[in-house]
Amino acid sequence: MLRFALPLAATLVAAPALAETWDMPTPYGDTTFHTQNIRDFASDVSAATDGALEITVHSAGSLFPHSEIKNAVRSRQVPIGEFFLSTLANEDLTFGMDSQPFLATSYDEAAELWEAQKPAIEKLLGEQGLMPLFSVPWPAQGLYTKKEIQSVEDLNGLRFRAYNAALEEFATLAGAAPVQVEAPDIPQAFSTGQVEAMITSPSTGANSKAWDFLSHYTPINAWVPKNIVVVNQRVFDGLDESVQQAVLDAAAAAEARGLEMSKAETEAKVAELEENGITVYEPSEELVSGLKEIGDQMLENWKSSASETAMSALEAYQQ
């Protein structure tokens, strides 16, 4: 009997540690470049750790609704997740800076804003036990309607899709009626008349097949919002140092790759909208002027309610 005990003991000592698996909820479908980028991120982590950490991506809100993802990570129901950053603006206005109309309207300006915003975001999320891993911008936001819009007055009375507090305010100031609708529900919302217009990215417009329920798009480049991926700090700290570094390296690669994907997405999705029959037109000077007036008013309103943290980030950006 003893001669069998020794090999068994040796086998137990030599056995590799079990791989750790993380479930990762994301709010957008598999055709969205953010989700594709995150799947690449998960693959990079798996490859870099030789399978010691596997990340299972649950897309399109299939594991948690978008509004619950941040708190699911915070409460360690899942270790990691992605969400639209400005949905947290009700916690602190710092989170919503990238959705302030006409504050940052290009990728370069959005990058500068993120550099100013990032230290404050890290602090605010850190207080909740969360650590940002990477962020990726959407294409600049355009206006989708069922007719050509020549001025802000043309928006008056329209039921307007909103996905955060800033867009609710924007719609109200434009004389429209804001209605909360998540990205996966856009087709049904338009088809049932729940909404009649929206401001969103070319990505979301094309992925929701906007040509099935509206006819016009104009690239007003209102703002360049972003998604953010966060990890539970306690869970991350429990990883081996080599695995931690692999996650951080994969995150840096995902942020850089995601930016390039976003730029390519802008061109491709606008072309897709046009190819499918949507009229793509340049906004009139009257429309741009009216929209910028709303943006200026919103920024003044924002300042009156902003925390010291948010004001510091704005000042850093505007220097």
Side-chain angles (χ1 to χ4, degrees):
M1 294 296 293
L2 287 176
R3 65 177 180 174
F4 293 105
L6 289 174
L8 176 60
T11 299
L12 291 173
V13 170
L18 292 175
E20 185 167 353
T21 299
W22 286 1
D23 287 313
M24 181 176 183
T26 74
Y28 302 99
D30 290 324
T31 59
T32 304
F33 77 94
H34 283 282
T35 306
Q36 294 167 357
N37 186 40
I38 283 172
R39 291 194 183 280
D40 289 342
F41 162 74
S43 296
D44 289 348
V45 169
S46 176
T49 62
D50 291 326
L53 177 59
E54 299 284 350
I55 298 176
T56 302
V57 178
H58 301 268
S59 60
S62 57
L63 188 59
F64 288 97
H66 191 174
S67 61
E68 296 178 15
I69 291 176
K70 190 266 284 185
N71 285 333
V73 180
R74 183 181 182 185
S75 61
R76 285 184 289 152
Q77 296 176 73
V78 288
I80 188 172
E82 178 206 31
F83 52 87
F84 192 73
L85 183 60
S86 63
T87 58
L88 305 187
N90 61 328
E91 297 182 15
D92 191 288
L93 291 180
T94 311
F95 290 115
M97 291 177 68
D98 60 13
S99 290
Q100 279 301 120
F102 300 101
L103 180 61
T105 60
S106 68
Y107 284 112
D108 287 344
E109 290 179 357
E112 292 172 5
L113 179 59
W114 178 231
E115 285 304 306
Q117 196 183 12
K118 189 175 181 180
I121 297 296
E122 290 175 336
K123 178 178 181 294
L124 290 167
L125 290 177
E127 291 169 353
Q128 300 184 47
L130 301 172
M131 183 178 77
L133 283 178
F134 63 92
S135 71
V136 173
W138 287 91
Q141 305 291 281
L143 176 64
Y144 295 79
T145 54
K146 296 183 177 182
K147 63 180 181 179
E148 185 167 332
I149 302 297
Q150 288 294 325
S151 68
V152 168
E153 286 70 27
D154 291 341
L155 298 174
N156 189 47
L158 295 182
R159 291 184 292 277
F160 209 96
R161 180 219 174 196
Y163 51 71
N164 58 32
L167 194 46
E168 286 186 12
E169 182 184 4
F170 186 92
T172 300
L173 290 172
V179 181
Q180 283 284 343
V181 176
E182 289 290 346
D185 301 322
I186 287 173
Q188 182 179 2
F190 271 93
S191 298
T192 60
Q194 185 182 4
V195 292
E196 302 169 289
M198 64 179 176
I199 292 178
T200 195
S201 69
S203 306
T204 300
N207 291 341
S208 61
K209 300 187 185 304
W211 47 84
D212 287 340
F213 46 82
L214 49 79
S215 58
H216 287 71
Y217 170 80
T218 181
I220 59 174
N221 296 341
W223 55 88
V224 187
K226 54 185 168 286
N227 287 1
I228 192 167
V229 171
V230 301
V231 64
N232 184 283
Q233 185 74 63
R234 184 172 173 182
V235 175
F236 181 82
D237 290 345
L239 297 172
D240 289 342
E241 287 187 12
S242 62
V243 177
Q244 288 181 357
Q245 191 59 52
V247 171
L248 294 176
D249 290 345
E255 185 162 290
R257 179 178 59 239
L259 174 60
E260 295 308 311
M261 292 174 77
S262 183
K263 291 178 179 179
E265 182 88 349
T266 299
E267 188 173 337
K269 294 302 183 180
V270 170
E272 185 176 348
L273 292 173
E274 201 161 22
E275 288 166 4
N276 282 279
I278 286 185
T279 299
V280 177
Y281 64 100
E282 288 300 311
S284 68
E285 291 185 9
E286 185 181 1
L287 177 59
V288 171
S289 175
L291 292 174
K292 286 186 175 179
E293 285 181 12
I294 292 175
D296 291 341
Q297 183 178 347
M298 287 183 65
L299 187 58
E300 290 305 310
N301 294 345
W302 184 92
K303 289 177 180 178
S304 68
S305 303
S307 64
E308 290 184 12
T309 300
M311 284 301 299
S312 295
L314 178 63
E315 290 165 5
Y317 171 64
Q318 292 182 328
Q319 284 178 352

Tab-separated table of all heavy atoms in Angstrom, residues 252-283:
chain	number	residue	atom	x	y	z
A	252	ALA	N	-4.678	48.277	-21.015
A	252	ALA	CA	-4.031	49.354	-21.775
A	252	ALA	C	-4.148	49.103	-23.275
A	252	ALA	O	-4.412	50.025	-24.060
A	252	ALA	CB	-2.565	49.469	-21.355
A	253	ALA	N	-3.976	47.854	-23.667
A	253	ALA	CA	-4.107	47.505	-25.079
A	253	ALA	C	-5.543	47.710	-25.554
A	253	ALA	O	-5.786	48.179	-26.672
A	253	ALA	CB	-3.667	46.062	-25.309
A	254	ALA	N	-6.508	47.373	-24.703
A	254	ALA	CA	-7.923	47.516	-25.074
A	254	ALA	C	-8.300	48.982	-25.227
A	254	ALA	O	-9.089	49.339	-26.109
A	254	ALA	CB	-8.807	46.853	-24.019
A	255	GLU	N	-7.756	49.840	-24.380
A	255	GLU	CA	-8.065	51.269	-24.491
A	255	GLU	C	-7.540	51.834	-25.804
A	255	GLU	O	-8.239	52.576	-26.497
A	255	GLU	CB	-7.482	52.029	-23.301
A	255	GLU	CG	-7.854	53.494	-23.289
A	255	GLU	CD	-7.672	54.143	-21.928
A	255	GLU	OE1	-8.450	53.836	-21.003
A	255	GLU	OE2	-6.735	54.966	-21.790
A	256	ALA	N	-6.295	51.479	-26.153
A	256	ALA	CA	-5.718	51.963	-27.415
A	256	ALA	C	-6.440	51.368	-28.620
A	256	ALA	O	-6.755	52.076	-29.585
A	256	ALA	CB	-4.233	51.618	-27.461
A	257	ARG	N	-6.716	50.075	-28.564
A	257	ARG	CA	-7.403	49.404	-29.674
A	257	ARG	C	-8.829	49.946	-29.824
A	257	ARG	O	-9.312	50.190	-30.928
A	257	ARG	CB	-7.434	47.901	-29.411
A	257	ARG	CG	-8.143	47.085	-30.486
A	257	ARG	CD	-8.072	45.595	-30.169
A	257	ARG	NE	-8.669	45.271	-28.884
A	257	ARG	CZ	-8.021	44.685	-27.876
A	257	ARG	NH1	-6.755	44.330	-27.997
A	257	ARG	NH2	-8.635	44.433	-26.733
A	258	GLY	N	-9.496	50.167	-28.687
A	258	GLY	CA	-10.863	50.650	-28.716
A	258	GLY	C	-10.987	52.021	-29.354
A	258	GLY	O	-11.954	52.299	-30.070
A	259	LEU	N	-10.012	52.882	-29.110
A	259	LEU	CA	-10.022	54.205	-29.732
A	259	LEU	C	-9.953	54.097	-31.250
A	259	LEU	O	-10.720	54.753	-31.967
A	259	LEU	CB	-8.853	55.043	-29.209
A	259	LEU	CG	-8.656	56.413	-29.872
A	259	LEU	CD1	-9.882	57.285	-29.701
A	259	LEU	CD2	-7.411	57.097	-29.313
A	260	GLU	N	-9.070	53.255	-31.742
A	260	GLU	CA	-8.953	53.080	-33.195
A	260	GLU	C	-10.208	52.439	-33.770
A	260	GLU	O	-10.650	52.789	-34.874
A	260	GLU	CB	-7.709	52.244	-33.524
A	260	GLU	CG	-6.393	52.918	-33.166
A	260	GLU	CD	-6.283	54.319	-33.739
A	260	GLU	OE1	-6.553	54.504	-34.951
A	260	GLU	OE2	-5.945	55.254	-32.981
A	261	MET	N	-10.803	51.514	-33.021
A	261	MET	CA	-12.053	50.896	-33.470
A	261	MET	C	-13.167	51.933	-33.543
A	261	MET	O	-13.993	51.927	-34.468
A	261	MET	CB	-12.451	49.757	-32.519
A	261	MET	CG	-11.526	48.562	-32.549
A	261	MET	SD	-11.938	47.307	-31.295
A	261	MET	CE	-13.380	46.533	-32.075
A	262	SER	N	-13.182	52.844	-32.579
A	262	SER	CA	-14.205	53.882	-32.562
A	262	SER	C	-14.069	54.804	-33.770
A	262	SER	O	-15.061	55.162	-34.409
A	262	SER	CB	-14.101	54.692	-31.264
A	262	SER	OG	-15.128	55.655	-31.183
A	263	LYS	N	-12.840	55.175	-34.087
A	263	LYS	CA	-12.610	56.043	-35.252
A	263	LYS	C	-13.045	55.362	-36.543
A	263	LYS	O	-13.719	55.966	-37.391
A	263	LYS	CB	-11.130	56.426	-35.325
A	263	LYS	CG	-10.674	57.363	-34.216
A	263	LYS	CD	-9.184	57.658	-34.335
A	263	LYS	CE	-8.710	58.619	-33.259
A	263	LYS	NZ	-7.247	58.890	-33.357
A	264	ALA	N	-12.679	54.098	-36.684
A	264	ALA	CA	-13.079	53.354	-37.884
A	264	ALA	C	-14.594	53.174	-37.925
A	264	ALA	O	-15.221	53.209	-38.995
A	264	ALA	CB	-12.382	51.994	-37.910
A	265	GLU	N	-15.164	52.987	-36.752
A	265	GLU	CA	-16.605	52.786	-36.638
A	265	GLU	C	-17.384	54.006	-37.139
A	265	GLU	O	-18.422	53.862	-37.805
A	265	GLU	CB	-16.945	52.533	-35.163
A	265	GLU	CG	-18.381	52.262	-34.882
A	265	GLU	CD	-18.761	50.797	-35.000
A	265	GLU	OE1	-17.943	50.004	-35.498
A	265	GLU	OE2	-19.880	50.453	-34.621
A	266	THR	N	-16.890	55.188	-36.811
A	266	THR	CA	-17.586	56.404	-37.224
A	266	THR	C	-17.786	56.430	-38.726
A	266	THR	O	-18.915	56.613	-39.231
A	266	THR	CB	-16.786	57.649	-36.784
A	266	THR	OG1	-16.663	57.649	-35.365
A	266	THR	CG2	-17.480	58.919	-37.227
A	267	GLU	N	-16.715	56.216	-39.453
A	267	GLU	CA	-16.774	56.263	-40.910
A	267	GLU	C	-17.640	55.137	-41.478
A	267	GLU	O	-18.489	55.358	-42.346
A	267	GLU	CB	-15.354	56.174	-41.474
A	267	GLU	CG	-15.260	56.396	-42.961
A	267	GLU	CD	-13.819	56.469	-43.444
A	267	GLU	OE1	-12.923	56.788	-42.626
A	267	GLU	OE2	-13.588	56.215	-44.636
A	268	ALA	N	-17.446	53.940	-40.946
A	268	ALA	CA	-18.163	52.778	-41.487
A	268	ALA	C	-19.659	52.845	-41.209
A	268	ALA	O	-20.483	52.529	-42.076
A	268	ALA	CB	-17.574	51.496	-40.901
A	269	LYS	N	-20.029	53.263	-40.011
A	269	LYS	CA	-21.446	53.246	-39.645
A	269	LYS	C	-22.232	54.374	-40.296
A	269	LYS	O	-23.413	54.188	-40.634
A	269	LYS	CB	-21.595	53.276	-38.126
A	269	LYS	CG	-21.071	52.038	-37.429
A	269	LYS	CD	-21.753	50.765	-37.915
A	269	LYS	CE	-21.283	49.536	-37.157
A	269	LYS	NZ	-21.938	48.284	-37.619
A	270	VAL	N	-21.607	55.532	-40.472
A	270	VAL	CA	-22.293	56.595	-41.203
A	270	VAL	C	-22.556	56.138	-42.640
A	270	VAL	O	-23.647	56.353	-43.194
A	270	VAL	CB	-21.486	57.905	-41.178
A	270	VAL	CG1	-22.100	58.927	-42.138
A	270	VAL	CG2	-21.451	58.484	-39.768
A	271	ALA	N	-21.566	55.474	-43.226
A	271	ALA	CA	-21.746	54.938	-44.583
A	271	ALA	C	-22.853	53.898	-44.615
A	271	ALA	O	-23.664	53.852	-45.563
A	271	ALA	CB	-20.436	54.339	-45.082
A	272	GLU	N	-22.931	53.068	-43.577
A	272	GLU	CA	-23.969	52.040	-43.510
A	272	GLU	C	-25.353	52.664	-43.401
A	272	GLU	O	-26.315	52.180	-44.033
A	272	GLU	CB	-23.710	51.108	-42.322
A	272	GLU	CG	-24.665	49.935	-42.254
A	272	GLU	CD	-24.342	48.967	-41.129
A	272	GLU	OE1	-23.249	49.078	-40.532
A	272	GLU	OE2	-25.200	48.108	-40.837
A	273	LEU	N	-25.466	53.718	-42.620
A	273	LEU	CA	-26.752	54.413	-42.520
A	273	LEU	C	-27.197	54.901	-43.895
A	273	LEU	O	-28.351	54.716	-44.294
A	273	LEU	CB	-26.625	55.602	-41.561
A	273	LEU	CG	-26.404	55.293	-40.078
A	273	LEU	CD1	-26.125	56.586	-39.306
A	273	LEU	CD2	-27.603	54.576	-39.465
A	274	GLU	N	-26.255	55.517	-44.615
A	274	GLU	CA	-26.572	56.081	-45.923
A	274	GLU	C	-26.921	54.991	-46.926
A	274	GLU	O	-27.877	55.116	-47.709
A	274	GLU	CB	-25.390	56.906	-46.416
A	274	GLU	CG	-25.735	57.924	-47.479
A	274	GLU	CD	-24.693	59.005	-47.607
A	274	GLU	OE1	-23.529	58.775	-47.195
A	274	GLU	OE2	-25.041	60.081	-48.122
A	275	GLU	N	-26.170	53.897	-46.887
A	275	GLU	CA	-26.405	52.782	-47.813
A	275	GLU	C	-27.779	52.160	-47.625
A	275	GLU	O	-28.353	51.602	-48.558
A	275	GLU	CB	-25.323	51.714	-47.625
A	275	GLU	CG	-23.956	52.133	-48.156
A	275	GLU	CD	-22.851	51.214	-47.645
A	275	GLU	OE1	-23.169	50.221	-46.957
A	275	GLU	OE2	-21.670	51.511	-47.911
A	276	ASN	N	-28.298	52.272	-46.423
A	276	ASN	CA	-29.601	51.679	-46.128
A	276	ASN	C	-30.753	52.668	-46.232
A	276	ASN	O	-31.861	52.397	-45.764
A	276	ASN	CB	-29.582	51.030	-44.746
A	276	ASN	CG	-28.883	49.685	-44.761
A	276	ASN	OD1	-29.480	48.672	-45.133
A	276	ASN	ND2	-27.612	49.674	-44.390
A	277	GLY	N	-30.475	53.811	-46.858
A	277	GLY	CA	-31.558	54.713	-47.201
A	277	GLY	C	-31.776	55.898	-46.301
A	277	GLY	O	-32.687	56.707	-46.541
A	278	ILE	N	-30.974	56.029	-45.256
A	278	ILE	CA	-31.121	57.195	-44.392
A	278	ILE	C	-30.475	58.405	-45.069
A	278	ILE	O	-29.370	58.319	-45.613
A	278	ILE	CB	-30.497	56.939	-43.005
A	278	ILE	CG1	-31.401	55.999	-42.211
A	278	ILE	CG2	-30.273	58.239	-42.242
A	278	ILE	CD1	-30.970	55.758	-40.787
A	279	THR	N	-31.163	59.522	-45.035
A	279	THR	CA	-30.622	60.770	-45.573
A	279	THR	C	-29.627	61.346	-44.570
A	279	THR	O	-30.000	61.685	-43.443
A	279	THR	CB	-31.746	61.788	-45.828
A	279	THR	OG1	-32.661	61.251	-46.781
A	279	THR	CG2	-31.179	63.100	-46.348
A	280	VAL	N	-28.358	61.412	-44.982
A	280	VAL	CA	-27.308	61.985	-44.134
A	280	VAL	C	-27.026	63.393	-44.641
A	280	VAL	O	-26.678	63.580	-45.808
A	280	VAL	CB	-26.023	61.128	-44.171
A	280	VAL	CG1	-24.923	61.771	-43.342
A	280	VAL	CG2	-26.317	59.707	-43.677
A	281	TYR	N	-27.193	64.372	-43.765
A	281	TYR	CA	-27.029	65.759	-44.188
A	281	TYR	C	-26.246	66.556	-43.147
A	281	TYR	O	-26.252	66.222	-41.960
A	281	TYR	CB	-28.389	66.413	-44.436
A	281	TYR	CG	-29.273	66.533	-43.202
A	281	TYR	CD1	-29.375	67.738	-42.505
A	281	TYR	CD2	-30.011	65.444	-42.740
A	281	TYR	CE1	-30.173	67.847	-41.374
A	281	TYR	CE2	-30.812	65.549	-41.621
A	281	TYR	CZ	-30.888	66.748	-40.929
A	281	TYR	OH	-31.680	66.854	-39.817
A	282	GLU	N	-25.558	67.581	-43.603
A	282	GLU	CA	-24.803	68.440	-42.698
A	282	GLU	C	-25.765	69.364	-41.954
A	282	GLU	O	-26.711	69.893	-42.544
A	282	GLU	CB	-23.773	69.273	-43.465
A	282	GLU	CG	-22.597	68.469	-43.965
A	282	GLU	CD	-21.836	67.797	-42.834
A	282	GLU	OE1	-21.512	68.483	-41.834
A	282	GLU	OE2	-21.563	66.583	-42.941
A	283	PRO	N	-25.548	69.573	-40.664
A	283	PRO	CA	-26.451	70.449	-39.917
A	283	PRO	C	-26.332	71.896	-40.380
A	283	PRO	O	-25.246	72.368	-40.728
A	283	PRO	CB	-25.962	70.300	-38.471
A	283	PRO	CG	-24.530	69.890	-38.589
A	283	PRO	CD	-24.458	69.040	-39.822
